[in-house]
């Protein structure tokens, strides 16, 4: 399949200063991250809080510039584009944020929220055509056109997230970045939004980067899953293969922590997380029961263990 997004050897380092004139401490957040998203494919990005998932989304969207590495969107290096090229990339790539309450301007009606991206890109200047387009856009996300004159505070959380999705789809993008779009919603509403995203992905042939903590959500929606730990992707495979047969010890720990119907709840014991960059070699070694001296000497590379299934662990053969 055609690759719509290619992230190549992305590094991102922040500088943390204690005082205004101090040199500051370098904090690596992303370390040699490479990821490909194909057409009509949902790639899930999972991992615990603070591992760099949202930072990777920001780098892909151009909100943050990588310290080094290349971000290709439809074969174009976004760092080399002029102003017009960057505007075109913004139209191709849209985002749905985690919190639908804070991502909508409370002073704007639904009509204004959906019309704003159209005004920026000069789409549907004719009033009749725009009105028809807005009605169809709301219908696509399961909302009535009678909501156009209402404000965000008049909607439930699920309805607000549908409006956010409609706004993201207004420019007919090719790539959708969804940063935990259902984690702030009730379970029943989560299912509705996930079904909506799946239907939209299929009908519009979208490429989706889907960030989530919930492995059950990843199993339902994602075609491929990449597991991130302390700024590195430690395992990547087709969703079913990864969830049914995880290879990396960290992935196994994540799956062991998920309650399952019909199985007794066991205790998952994991040592406290070490600080990013505080150890050499494999970052998971201080928390891994199978770690050896070889694990602490060098950072393991992400290698293909079986066809389509890659992992970064020296213990896997």
């Amino acid at each position: 399949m055609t690759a719509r997004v290619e992230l190549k050897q992305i590094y991102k380092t922040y500088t943390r200063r204690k005082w205004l004139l101090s040199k500051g401490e370098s904090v690596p957040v992303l370390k040699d991250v490479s990821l490909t998203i194909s057409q009509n494919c949902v790639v899930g990005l999972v991992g615990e809080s603070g591992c760099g998932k949202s930072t990777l989304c920001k780098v892909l969207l151009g909100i943050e510039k990588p310290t080094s590495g290349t971000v290709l969107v439809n074969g174009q290096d976004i760092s080399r584009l002029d102003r017009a090229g960057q505007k075109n990339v913004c139209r191709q790539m849209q985002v749905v944020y985690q919190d639908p309450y804070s991502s909508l301007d409370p002073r704007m009606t639904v009509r204004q929220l959906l019309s704003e991206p159209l005004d920026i890109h000069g789409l549907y200047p004719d009033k009749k055509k725009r009105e028809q387009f807005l009605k169809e856009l709301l219908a696509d996300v399961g909302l009535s056109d009678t909501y156009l004159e209402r404000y965000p505070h008049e909607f439930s959380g699920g309805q607000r997230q549908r409006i956010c999705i409609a706004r993201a789809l207004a420019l007919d993008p090719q790539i959708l970045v969804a940063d935990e779009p259902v984690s702030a919603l009730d379970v029943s509403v989560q299912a509705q939004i996930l079904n909506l995203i799946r239907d939209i992905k299929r009908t519009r042939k979208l490429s989706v980067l889907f960030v989530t903590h919930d492995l059950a959500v990843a199993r339902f929606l994602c075609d491929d899953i990449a597991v991130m730990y302390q700024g590195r992707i430690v395992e990547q495979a087709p969703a079913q293969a990864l969830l049914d047969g995880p290879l990396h010890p960290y992935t196994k720990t994540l799956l062991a922590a998920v309650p399952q119907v019909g199985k007794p709840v066991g205790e998952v014991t994991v040592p406290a997380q070490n600080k990013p960059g505080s150890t050499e070699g494999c970052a998971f070694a201080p928390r891994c029961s199978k770690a050896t001296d070889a694990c602490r000497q060098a950072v393991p590379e992400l290698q293909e263990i079986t066809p389509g299934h890659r992992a970064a662990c020296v213990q896997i053969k």
Side-chain angles (χ1 to χ4, degrees):
M1 291 187 289
T2 304
R4 280 186 169 164
V5 173
E6 291 181 88
L7 301 169
K8 297 183 178 181
Q9 297 178 316
I10 299 295
Y11 287 82
K12 179 61 181 177
T13 300
Y14 291 99
T15 300
R16 181 169 54 196
R17 291 183 173 89
K18 293 184 179 179
W19 302 99
L20 181 61
L21 299 179
S22 64
K23 186 177 180 180
E25 176 188 3
S26 295
V27 181
V29 178
L30 298 177
K31 311 166 192 175
D32 195 18
V33 176
S34 296
L35 191 66
T36 299
I37 308 176
S38 302
Q39 180 181 355
N40 196 28
C41 178
V42 180
V43 175
L45 189 62
V46 302
E48 59 195 57
S49 297
C51 70
K53 303 187 300 297
S54 294
T55 301
L56 186 63
C57 291
K58 291 178 182 178
V59 169
L60 172 58
L61 292 166
I63 299 173
E64 295 279 1
K65 293 184 178 180
T67 304
S68 64
T70 306
V71 180
L72 299 177
V73 177
N74 290 324
Q76 294 181 303
D77 185 348
I78 63 173
S79 66
R80 299 177 180 271
L81 297 176
D82 57 14
R83 190 179 183 87
Q86 291 175 352
K87 186 176 181 179
N88 184 49
V89 167
C90 288
R91 180 177 176 181
Q92 298 173 25
M93 188 163 47
Q94 292 291 299
V95 59
V96 178
Y97 292 104
Q98 176 180 1
D99 186 7
Y101 297 92
S102 60
S103 57
L104 296 175
D105 190 332
R107 300 168 298 178
M108 301 174 69
T109 64
V110 173
R111 180 187 300 279
Q112 293 171 323
L113 289 166
L114 299 183
S115 295
E116 186 177 35
L118 302 178
D119 292 335
I120 292 172
H121 290 269
L123 301 176
Y124 297 99
D126 182 79
K127 289 185 178 180
K128 291 184 178 180
K129 290 183 178 180
R130 175 171 293 196
E131 184 71 16
Q132 183 63 29
F133 175 77
L134 294 179
K135 291 180 179 180
E136 292 175 356
L137 189 61
L138 285 179
D140 287 344
V141 297
L143 295 177
S144 169
D145 56 19
T146 58
Y147 293 167
L148 282 171
E149 306 305 330
R150 294 169 63 177
Y151 289 87
H153 72 270
E154 301 179 65
F155 299 99
S156 65
Q159 289 173 325
R160 293 185 197 187
Q161 197 63 290
R162 288 175 185 269
I163 294 170
C164 292
I165 294 172
R167 183 177 58 180
L169 297 177
L171 298 178
D172 194 23
Q174 299 177 351
I175 302 154
L176 185 67
V177 178
D179 190 357
E180 301 192 53
V182 297
S183 62
L185 306 176
D186 294 338
V187 175
S188 59
V189 180
Q190 285 184 15
Q192 297 172 12
I193 299 299
L194 289 173
N195 283 323
L196 174 62
I197 294 175
R198 186 177 63 174
D199 293 341
I200 290 172
K201 170 254 180 181
R202 183 177 62 251
T203 56
R204 295 178 179 249
K205 299 189 183 302
L206 286 173
S207 301
V208 183
L209 178 61
F210 191 90
V211 178
T212 181
H213 282 100
D214 193 332
L215 292 172
V217 168
R219 182 188 292 272
F220 172 78
L221 187 66
C222 300
D223 300 300
D224 294 308
I225 295 177
V227 180
M228 180 174 280
Y229 182 75
Q230 287 199 14
R232 296 184 186 274
I233 292 179
V234 297
E235 187 168 359
Q236 184 177 5
Q240 201 65 37
L242 185 140
L243 296 173
D244 290 343
L247 298 177
H248 196 278
Y250 176 60
T251 310
K252 294 179 180 179
T253 302
L254 288 179
L255 289 170
V258 178
Q260 297 184 27
V261 177
K263 291 186 178 181
V265 179
E267 183 178 355
V268 180
T269 304
V270 180
Q273 181 176 358
N274 53 299
K275 295 181 180 179
S278 62
T279 61
E280 296 180 355
C282 177
F284 191 65
R287 307 174 72 184
C288 181
S289 60
K290 298 182 180 180
T292 63
D293 291 338
C295 300
R296 300 179 179 91
Q297 292 174 358
V299 177
E301 296 182 1
L302 192 63
Q303 299 180 348
E304 190 171 52
I305 309 302
T306 60
H309 198 148
R310 302 189 298 161
C313 180
V314 298
Q315 302 296 331
I316 301 173
K317 299 180 181 179

